[in-house]
Structures are given as C-alpha cells and as structure tokens.
Amino acid sequence: MGGWEMPSKPKSPWSGYEIPHVSPGDPNQNSIRELVKHALVDLDELAHLDDSQREGLEGDLVDAVGHFRAGLSAGKRGVSDEFLATAIFHNDVNRALETAGVPTTKWSRIHREDGYESVIDRVARAVGEVCSIDLPKDTKRIVRAAASIDALL
C-alpha cells in the first residue's frame, strides 16, 4: 500500500470507564479499590466529580472498608462491636464524601420506596454491597451513633 496510513480517530470529549474484571462470587479475589470503583459508577450524585476528587474519594472509601474489616473491640456494655464498627464505617463514608466536595444533605426517594435515603446511605450501601458489609435496612440508629462519634472527634 506504500505510505498510505489510516487517519486516527479524533479523541472523544466523553470520559470513559474501563470495566474492571470483578468477580461477584468471590469478593476476596478482587482488590478493594476495584470493588469501590465498581460501586461508585452508577451513582448520579458523584457524576460531577473530576478525576482527582474521584480518586481521593475512592482512596478514602478503601480506607473506610479496611477499618471496618479490621474490626473493633470497644468493650462497651450493651453495644455490639459490629454495631460500632458499622457506625464508624458510616461516619467514614460521610467524611469521605465531604472531603470530595459532595453535598451530603441531599435526600433521595429513588432507592427506598418507604422513605427517603441520603447520599451517604446510598454510597455506604453500594460500597457495602460489593465489599460484603451487611448494613441494616433502617439506618436511623447507625446515623445517630455516627453523629455521636463525629461529635467526639
């Protein structure tokens, strides 16, 4: 063909998402960062974040999952360690969203038909679902406990 080359396609202004190789059957096979990225893809509230904010949010959420998986031994009477770890996870998600500049006071009726759900709850559920963290359906007690933890810090 001598010297003729196909012109390359112009770069698209649209951002792309490379789908990770996530195995839903075995969450331990995947890295936590891949799981968190996979969980955040479908959340419309995070669509306005630029790359550096999104990477910071992903890093903070990876730390939150790591803290939850490490466990907690508070030794408080009448309160399970799992409940406190879940409240701390919820608080860490809240701080990660605030650090990334996401308004955490938005409420959405999309996810739960019986009531409103905050952005924090939606992100915590999405990340918890892919990282095998069981969150209760009613998060009122956890939100109250997370607020008291935040008041102590």
Side-chain angles (χ1 to χ4, degrees):
M1 300 261 159
W4 291 94
E5 293 181 18
M6 289 292 287
S8 63
K9 291 183 179 179
K11 298 270 185 199
S12 172
W14 304 100
S15 64
Y17 171 69
E18 186 176 316
I19 299 173
H21 209 28
V22 176
S23 171
D26 185 15
N28 296 326
Q29 181 183 1
N30 307 301
S31 73
I32 297 174
R33 183 171 286 279
E34 287 176 346
L35 294 172
V36 168
K37 273 185 180 182
H38 184 68
L40 298 180
V41 169
D42 295 330
L43 296 173
D44 295 335
E45 294 88 358
L46 307 178
H48 70 279
L49 297 177
D50 61 4
D51 291 339
S52 64
Q53 288 175 318
R54 183 173 289 275
E55 285 183 20
L57 176 63
E58 289 168 2
D60 291 342
L61 291 175
V62 166
D63 290 344
V65 170
H67 293 155
F68 180 83
R69 286 186 176 177
L72 176 71
S73 179
K76 288 182 78 173
R77 249 185 203 187
V79 180
S80 71
D81 292 338
E82 184 178 351
F83 175 79
L84 286 176
T86 305
I88 291 171
F89 172 72
H90 199 275
N91 189 29
D92 287 347
V93 170
N94 185 14
R95 284 180 183 263
L97 289 171
E98 286 176 351
T99 304
V102 177
T104 57
T105 56
K106 284 187 177 180
W107 293 83
S108 172
R109 199 175 187 128
I110 297 170
H111 220 53
R112 290 183 53 193
E113 294 179 16
D114 58 338
Y116 292 100
E117 190 170 44
S118 69
V119 174
I120 304 165
D121 288 339
R122 291 194 65 205
V123 171
R125 281 189 200 289
V127 171
E129 188 176 311
V130 297
C131 293
S132 302
I133 297 173
D134 293 328
L135 295 175
K137 288 186 178 184
D138 187 17
T139 58
K140 289 179 188 174
R141 286 186 59 213
I142 290 175
V143 170
R144 263 189 262 134
S148 67
I149 291 168
D150 200 29
L152 293 175
L153 296 177

